Amino acid sequence: MRAWPAPDLPALPRTGAAAPVLVHDSTTRTLTEAAPGPTATLYACGITPYDATHLGHANTYLTFDLLQRAWLDAGKRVTYTSNVTDVDDPLLERATATGVDWRELALEQTELYRTDMTALRMLPPATWTGAVESIPAVVDAVTAMLDAGAAYWVDRDVYADLSADPAFGTVAGLDAATMRALFAERGGDPDRSGKRHPLDPALWRGEQPGDPSWDGGVLGAGRPGWHIECAVIARDGLGLPFDVQGGGADLLFPHHEMSTSHARMLSRPSGAGARVHLHAGLLAYQGEKMSKSRGNLVFVSRLLADGVDPMVIRLALLGHHYRDEWEWTDAELHTAQRRLDAWTAGLLTAHDDGEPAARVLDEVRAALAADLDAPRALASVDRWAANPGGSADVLAATVDALLGVEL
Ligand code: ZN
């Protein structure tokens, strides 16, 4: 798919070596260097194109945007791959419920997402692949898993045999009962008869009457499962293993557990998927988790249509640590607008005796390297804005390149 245009990224002055960028790995539950080498590879699980782009999405992709900005500033060569799950059960269900062709719904919502990401100045992926585009590669991967004994047939569907992967379960580290409950809650089919194990996920769904399907070669007509889609797109965009796989906190299980297992199967004998798993906290609104099923979504496009500056939306989200679970209120926009106004005013009133902009640059860099601590970075710029000094150009370049906020 065609991604959106990249925002300009000003170069920042540097003296001395960059600090390693540490993030919270959901597997080890410790701070870990996200990409220890000179290159950095990131896969962020993309949207299913309906109900795009709500603030929960924006908050998640902002997390990975910050990570890339920190990596780029540290001099790493960054490769970012993402996907769009442009055929899947929830999309088809929404299309049927609203009487819209599923292709039109996917196209319209993908375009909306692209527009929102551009307005929010998110760095675009180098490879942005739709599920439909990935089908030939998924067919090859599923066929290879069948040949290797890592998959099996149930009627006309193909399932992964998780017993072929001794490392299954190590990503999320959950007990059997929790895994089964989350699998059922989040799109899995633990009770399907004929499966070897309740948790085995579908890799290929045979053609169903009324559903779209594609030629699967020896798999027969059908469509791909979700977890294998991400494993294949990540492999083809980044190679295996890669540094970071990320998404919203509700993707840890089963999605990242399963897609990492599939990646291991596809890269045997070395057998490795993502090194680090990174998850953004979920937002609440009106007292409940913001979710499609509850319908309590706040859309970026709605805020933009109401005249909210996209930099205000960005600052409102940056005001909370990416791992926090917090509740969105309209007050967030007022706080962020005041902050943006103060920073902009600071550029005009910077004077020789004020807080040096170069110190802000050091502090923002240090805050991002410490688990993408955006609130700490904002506090540093706030202090500067209260007594602005040094080079206004350095300050503007700092918040642009590292925080993506254009003043
Ligand atoms: Zn994914």
Side-chain angles (χ1 to χ4, degrees), residues 43-46 83 85 226-227 229-231 245-247 251 255-256 259:
Y43 184 82
C45 287
N83 69 309
T85 305
W226 177 33
H227 315 305
E229 168 201 335
C230 278
Q245 179 157 11
L251 294 191
H255 184 52
H256 287 166
S259 60

Side-chain angles (χ1 to χ4, degrees), residues 34-42 71-72 76-80 238 243-244:
T39 62
T41 44
L42 167 69
W71 275 340
L72 288 166
K76 291 185 191 295
R77 203 166 65 248
V78 177
T79 309
Y80 172 34
L238 304 173
D243 289 310
V244 174

Side-chain angles (χ1 to χ4, degrees), residues 138 141-142 144-145 150-151 158-165 167-169 171 183 199-204 224-235 240 242 245 254-268 271-274 277:
V138 167
V142 175
M145 285 174 73
V158 181
Y159 281 81
D161 186 342
L162 294 175
S163 71
D165 175 19
F168 174 77
V171 173
F183 185 62
L199 290 179
D200 288 347
L203 297 170
W204 184 256
W226 177 33
H227 315 305
I228 190 70
E229 168 201 335
C230 278
V232 165
I233 293 173
R235 178 197 66 183
L240 295 174
F242 57 98
Q245 179 157 11
H255 184 52
H256 287 166
E257 189 76 61
M258 301 293 185
S259 60
T260 302
S261 173
H262 299 340
R264 275 194 292 268
M265 292 297 101
L266 296 175
S267 60
R268 285 199 292 192
H277 285 88

